[in-house]
Amino acid sequence: MSCIFCKIAAGEIPADIVFKNERVTAFTDLNPMAPTHILIIPNQHIDSVDAIVNDETARAAAECLRAAREIAQARALTGGYRLVTNTGPDAGQSVPHLHFHLLAGRLMTWPPG
Ligand code: AMP
């Protein structure tokens, strides 16, 4: 297993874990782009949105969205938050394991750069 996010989900390398259940792990991004910057990943390896191809992978992705809502609620992110998932090189995906960036704590521009 060479995937760094698989290793974080398995507890084999350290991360600042903020949420964990059977299907999902969430941890603080090493290079935060906002006061709150959390990565939410399925514990199962899925390369990206492009690999959500069946009920199992769709459920894993949906569980990440449910975790996002739970994290936002637990942290009282009442001002709102942004969820981003980069897919492929043009979008800037640098880790090939599906992840959702949860960003909050500052005003965000739209459209993004
Ligand atoms: P992306 O560019 O969308 O693939 O996002 C990958 C994110 O993973 C970047 O924001 C990195 O800062 C973050 N990242 C990479 N390695 C780690 C790690 N070991 N722990 C926490 N965040 C990481």
Side-chain angles (χ1 to χ4, degrees):
M1 180 172 69
S2 61
C3 170
I4 189 168
F5 285 1
C6 282
K7 287 181 177 163
I8 288 174
E12 290 173 6
I13 63 170
D16 178 32
I17 307 281
V18 300
F19 177 98
K20 190 158 187 64
N21 68 21
E22 222 173 70
R23 291 175 175 273
V24 175
T25 301
F27 50 96
T28 306
D29 196 293
L30 269 186
N31 182 26
M33 304 286 180
T36 296
H37 188 170
I38 292 166
L39 297 175
I40 304 169
I41 66 169
N43 295 335
Q44 165 191 1
H45 185 88
I46 298 170
D47 282 345
S48 72
V49 169
D50 278 345
I52 300 172
V53 292
N54 55 28
D55 287 352
E56 188 192 0
T57 48
R59 179 165 179 205
E63 292 287 353
C64 290
L65 300 184
R66 174 151 65 181
R69 198 265 305 155
E70 290 181 17
I71 292 164
Q73 196 165 35
R75 291 177 170 240
L77 299 179
T78 51
Y81 55 95
R82 179 170 289 175
L83 284 176
V84 175
T85 184
N86 296 319
T87 304
D90 281 2
Q93 184 179 8
S94 61
V95 179
H97 181 128
L98 177 66
H99 52 280
F100 296 88
H101 298 256
L102 188 161
L103 300 149
R106 65 166 171 79
L107 267 183
M108 317 251 169
T109 56
W110 189 262

